[in-house]
Amino acid sequence: DRELMHYLGSAMKAHGVFRKDIDYVVKDVGKGEGLEIIIVDENTGRLMFGRRYSDGLHQAIEAKEHVEVKNESQTLATITFQNYFRLYSKLSGMTGTAKTEEEEFRKIYALDVLPIPTNRPVVRKDKADMIFKREEHKMRAIAAEILRVYCKQQPTLIGTRSIEMSERVSKRVSPQMLKTLAMIEVVRQKVENDKTLSADKKREYVALLNQPMEAWSQVDETGKRTHYPALSLSQLRPHVKALNLSEDPLSPDNMNQIAKLFEVEDDGLEYLEEALSHGIPHNILNAKFHEQEAIIIAEAGRKGAITIATNMAGRGVDILLGGKHINQELPTTAGDARSLSAAVSSIAESDEEGNPEEEEGENESYRRFGRATILDAVTSGGLTDEEHKKAGNVVRSLGGLYILG
């Protein structure tokens, strides 16, 4: 029965491929129709209201999440954005990202792109791009850079290309992953400087230290796939002991070496210990915090703030150095503006619900600087003119907003 097989295929995709709060969210959009399945754009992390999966997949997801199963929509006509815009007799626009797409504008719309000089000299310091041979090396470098800048308390904005990459970066700054990364570099330094080790032994250590810190798999010539676990502290311990190093990443000797390797100054040692013990507190922009993303972005310039975002362009919120100003207006998902006080209620509800697993983990050990929440930033935030000026000057003295792409 082909129809039955089609239904079974859609059901298997809904249960095995599509993930809640990543590929879609279950949300009440306020139309009086109860909960709905809202698709998440994998490239931008934005909710795509009104869009539905085809071929019965959306209905399968609705059945999976126990919400009302609605009839499949029928497409009567389609048109691309490019062809739709060309229907206008006059076409123009202004954006900060047009120059990179100049060829596309000229080819499709026969429009020129004219750059307008900045009112003041550009003070941004552009650093050279870094290219890595393997993705694992890049992920380690990202985590190491976030750790270095966090210990300095310079606000940092990390831009990613997808929600999945945002989640991976978020995991890299967890306490266990940071401890593993720190000990890998400590062991690597010891191996490189130890003249008693043979060349073969050093190659053996390097091969171990270069193993991915995430679970991975490999296919051999016969087509057989072999799965390998992520490199962890437990795998490193025997080698750490053999090299006469302390097994505890937080031991004084290791902490001094880690601070040196990650370029952490003396005034950042407390934050280094905090990060290795409890992870780096950060906000991640994805569909889970869709309603609060404006506040998360507005607070991205606060001292010590770490924000991971997917495709920042088009968010419609200014990042002010020092944090959000008391009079700064924030756009809602509907596009209109609202003040700080109007946004607090929705934030409070999400913070009260919380994440049970995360809260349980936090109760196991004491966080010296406190677990940062979105509500903390809002209720303590909304700075007055004088407070905002002082906070902004502090951030400028640290180097301003650090952007890691």
Side-chain angles (χ1 to χ4, degrees), residues 128-174:
D129 293 337
M130 298 181 67
I131 300 175
F132 298 88
K133 189 175 180 179
R134 292 173 54 192
E135 186 185 43
E136 173 63 24
H137 297 158
K138 180 178 76 172
M139 297 300 292
R140 290 187 186 185
I142 291 172
E145 191 69 358
I146 294 173
L147 177 61
R148 181 187 71 81
V149 180
Y150 169 72
C151 292
K152 186 180 172 183
Q153 285 294 281
Q154 183 178 1
T156 307
L157 177 64
I158 301 101
T160 67
R161 291 183 176 269
S162 66
I163 297 174
E164 180 185 4
M165 182 56 71
S166 293
E167 298 284 354
R168 289 179 63 191
V169 172
S170 178
K171 289 179 181 177
R172 289 280 176 158
V173 295
S174 65

Side-chain angles (χ1 to χ4, degrees), residues 246 248-259:
S246 172
D248 182 12
L250 299 177
S251 68
D253 289 341
N254 282 340
M255 283 292 292
N256 289 333
Q257 187 65 16
I258 292 169

Side-chain angles (χ1 to χ4, degrees), residues 4 35 66 102 148 151 154 156 170 222 257 262 296 298 326 379 402:
L4 180 59
L35 297 175
H66 304 288
E102 183 175 11
R148 181 187 71 81
C151 292
Q154 183 178 1
T156 307
S170 178
T222 63
Q257 187 65 16
F262 288 87
I296 295 176
I326 190 69
T379 54
Y402 189 85

Side-chain angles (χ1 to χ4, degrees), residues 202-226:
K202 286 189 176 183
R203 280 193 291 268
E204 183 181 328
Y205 273 116
V206 170
L208 170 68
L209 298 176
N210 285 341
Q211 288 183 17
M213 293 170 60
E214 300 174 11
W216 59 291
S217 61
Q218 191 174 35
V219 180
D220 59 20
E221 296 89 356
T222 63
K224 181 182 178 182
R225 181 176 292 276
T226 306

